[in-house]
Amino acid sequence: MVAPMNRFRTKCQSILTNHLRYCLTRELSTYRVLNKGVVLGVYQPKNKNEDLILDKATQFYNDKTGGKVGQLLKVAGKDLKKGGCRILYDVVPGFDSVAVCCIGKQGTSYNENECYDEGLENIRAAVAAGVRNLRSVGENDVMVDPCGNAEAAAEGSYLGLYEYDELKDKEKRKKTVKLSCLTEHLSGSSSVQKVWSQGQIKADGQNWARKLMEMPSNKLTPRLFVEEVQRKFNNRPNVTVTVRDKAWIQSENMNAFLAVSQGSSEEPYFLHIEYKHPDSNMSSPVAIVGKGITFDTGGISIKPSAGMDLMRADMGGAACTVGSVYSLDRLNSPVHVHAFIPLCENMPGGRAIKPGDVVTARNGKTIQIDNTDAEGRLILADALNYCESIKPQLILDMATLTGAIDVALGSGAAGAYATSTNTWEMLQKAGSTTGDRLWRMPLFNHYTKQVTVSQLADVNNIGAHARSGGSCTAAAFLKEFVTNKNWVHLDIAGVMSNKDEVPYLNKGMAGRPTRTVVEFVQLLGKSQS
Ligand code: BES
Ligand code: ZN
Ligand code: ZN
């Protein structure tokens, strides 16, 4: 009886000592002000019940600690699934904690059914889980295992930590975390560092778009949007920002744009941003056009109040446009891009447009405005027509245009309407790399017929069968204002916000598909060099 009692006592003592040591470490770490953490990657075992497979960096630290990492993972790593993460304390010298994150099966690459590089998506998701967990245990200086692709690791890290909480009490805000790329296990590190910073720049562009989309409409009116953009591009030698006011918009006969803006007491603006690299490969520029409705009430065809707050993000096209230009500039991409952004509110004021009103667009076509909530296509009609003045090789527009695209595709992909199959293929390739996918939609004459019937005018703004194929009729409407042979329209209403679908984005506005557009413009540039 004595022996088992002693064994029991020893066991209890050992548990208690371990617990005390753990508490002390946590306690000390708050005083040590080290607050350093490291994210390390592991692959799923090939067969069930086998050990996790350590990646290069994890193996390096395992060797350095005499096999301690692997040992701890035998228990702590049980049932660790792809995208999951476990925190280990006091294992690797120099770090308070280690987040071991699971990057799925080794050798994962392009997945034909998913139409994306699954290996890269796995890295983004796993690393995001790692950095978030380290932040939640108080680390503020985190090194990240590049997990075989430093760009994806940087994207996952920076996108995963982003949250718009600057309007909250300081206490409630997420603490800032300094992120850097772990390279101690590599012989040459400078190229990996460079790839990491490219991923960071791409994530920064998307995070800026997320911020602009999330900002409440009283803090981001058309005027304030312009100021944010001016501030961001101030002192960038390859970027020129031109701000056009209402008088200029009038002088350009952008009456469809003006019609939408007239129900609000906020002045409309038209932003023109040029990014031209001195060594651009492009013989003619790319035009990017973004819908910039800073709030969409629906106007006189007013929206129901439930969920209307989300319409602060109805400038998502504009946000992703400036986010893309930001990334291209910081990446020092040898391309030439012009961005065009009509900015206004859609409000039901005393001077607002009313259903049945007719306006003459910049290209001379008359539009019967049957529904004032189909305003995006009105402001884009004039912007698309104006952008042709720079003779672009290609026009790409982005707009949170229809609820119908959300019904069709949800947040799986943005709808892409392309006049050129070559261009579509390049877009699809871009999306498969970034994981922020696009899906091709039809530009059939079938839909054009529905928008070119109108009692009073050349075109109507909702289509004859308003409820059916709503995203397709909206695209067909826009097509009436484009003459360029190479045009792509992205309906991004379905990918506007994130609940939990994209694991490396928090809940909130998504800034999609900024990285895909950046990738696409870069691919286009490379194809011309
Ligand atoms: N901004 C909305 C589209 C939207 C809906 C964006 C949901 C994001 C989430 C757009 O201006 C709109 O209201 N479209 C109408 C068009 C209809 C009146 C033909 C729509 O989709 O209901
Ligand atoms: Zn609307
Ligand atoms: Zn809208």
Side-chain angles (χ1 to χ4, degrees), residues 260-332:
V260 176
S261 76
Q262 75 194 34
S264 164
S265 37
E266 293 290 342
E267 293 274 295
Y269 286 93
F270 189 90
L271 250 184
H272 179 179
I273 308 163
E274 181 180 6
Y275 166 67
K276 187 176 189 183
H277 191 279
D279 308 320
S280 166
N281 301 324
M282 296 176 164
S283 50
S284 52
V286 172
I288 307 182
V289 181
K291 170 177 171 182
I293 296 289
T294 60
F295 197 84
D296 182 10
T297 64
I300 296 300
S301 314
I302 200 159
K303 286 181 180 295
S305 35
M308 206 207 268
D309 68 293
L310 295 178
M311 286 302 112
R312 66 180 178 277
D314 208 21
M315 28 56 73
C320 294
T321 301
V322 296
S324 304
V325 176
Y326 170 88
S327 294
L328 289 166
D329 175 37
R330 300 285 162 150
L331 290 165
N332 204 25

Side-chain angles (χ1 to χ4, degrees), residues 504-516:
Y504 49 89
L505 299 178
N506 289 316
K507 186 171 179 294
M509 298 308 170
R512 295 171 62 188
T514 306
R515 286 181 304 113
T516 302

Side-chain angles (χ1 to χ4, degrees), residues 291 296 303 311 314 371 373 375 400-403 462 493 496:
K291 170 177 171 182
D296 182 10
K303 286 181 180 295
M311 286 302 112
D314 208 21
N371 190 316
D373 196 12
E375 84 298 339
T400 47
L401 205 62
T402 68
I462 46 168
M496 181 176 85

Side-chain angles (χ1 to χ4, degrees), residues 229-499:
V229 168
Q230 284 176 318
R231 220 172 303 130
K232 200 80 162 182
F233 291 122
N234 191 23
N235 287 326
R236 300 299 302 170
N238 297 334
V239 182
T240 317
V241 177
T242 311
V243 182
R244 308 292 198 179
D245 62 6
K246 187 174 166 192
W248 180 89
I249 301 165
Q250 280 167 333
S251 73
E252 282 292 328
N253 293 318
M254 294 183 168
N255 299 317
F257 174 25
L258 281 168
V260 176
S261 76
Q262 75 194 34
S264 164
S265 37
E266 293 290 342
E267 293 274 295
Y269 286 93
F270 189 90
L271 250 184
H272 179 179
I273 308 163
E274 181 180 6
Y275 166 67
K276 187 176 189 183
H277 191 279
D279 308 320
S280 166
N281 301 324
M282 296 176 164
S283 50
S284 52
V286 172
I288 307 182
V289 181
K291 170 177 171 182
I293 296 289
T294 60
F295 197 84
D296 182 10
T297 64
I300 296 300
S301 314
I302 200 159
K303 286 181 180 295
S305 35
M308 206 207 268
D309 68 293
L310 295 178
M311 286 302 112
R312 66 180 178 277
D314 208 21
M315 28 56 73
C320 294
T321 301
V322 296
S324 304
V325 176
Y326 170 88
S327 294
L328 289 166
D329 175 37
R330 300 285 162 150
L331 290 165
N332 204 25
S333 249
V335 297
H336 186 188
V337 175
H338 281 259
F340 301 92
I341 301 170
L343 287 156
C344 70
E345 288 183 337
N346 185 22
M347 297 286 285
R351 299 176 54 81
I353 35 163
K354 300 164 284 293
D357 284 1
V358 175
V359 293
T360 306
R362 188 179 185 274
N363 75 343
K365 285 194 186 180
T366 53
I367 307 170
Q368 181 171 334
I369 303 170
D370 281 331
N371 190 316
T372 65
D373 196 12
E375 84 298 339
R377 64 198 78 181
L378 298 175
I379 71 168
L380 287 174
D382 284 339
L384 284 166
N385 176 250
Y386 177 75
C387 86
E388 305 230 24
S389 58
I390 59 145
K391 304 217 172 340
Q393 57 163 303
L394 177 153
I395 302 170
L396 180 147
D397 78 69
M398 281 182 272
T400 47
L401 205 62
T402 68
I405 197 66
D406 186 37
V407 174
L409 301 176
S411 57
Y417 297 82
T419 55
S420 149
T421 297
N422 262 338
T423 301
W424 157 245
E425 282 168 357
M426 209 179 270
L427 281 161
Q428 192 184 30
K429 185 156 184 265
S432 73
T433 306
T434 61
D436 196 350
R437 292 166 291 189
L438 309 173
W439 190 255
R440 194 175 189 182
M441 300 286 289
L443 275 171
F444 300 150
N445 195 37
H446 177 93
Y447 304 107
T448 300
K449 281 193 258 172
Q450 296 178 26
V451 292
T452 49
V453 285
S454 163
Q455 177 112 33
L456 309 171
D458 299 327
V459 289
N460 78 80
N461 79 329
I462 46 168
H465 311 286
R467 275 184 46 77
S468 308
S471 176
C472 307
T473 47
F477 178 93
L478 295 180
K479 193 162 177 273
E480 290 303 297
F481 300 87
V482 178
T483 61
N484 196 297
K485 288 273 170 304
N486 205 348
W487 168 59
V488 200
H489 155 59
L490 304 181
D491 191 342
I492 62 170
V495 299
M496 181 176 85
S497 61
N498 194 59
K499 285 173 203 83

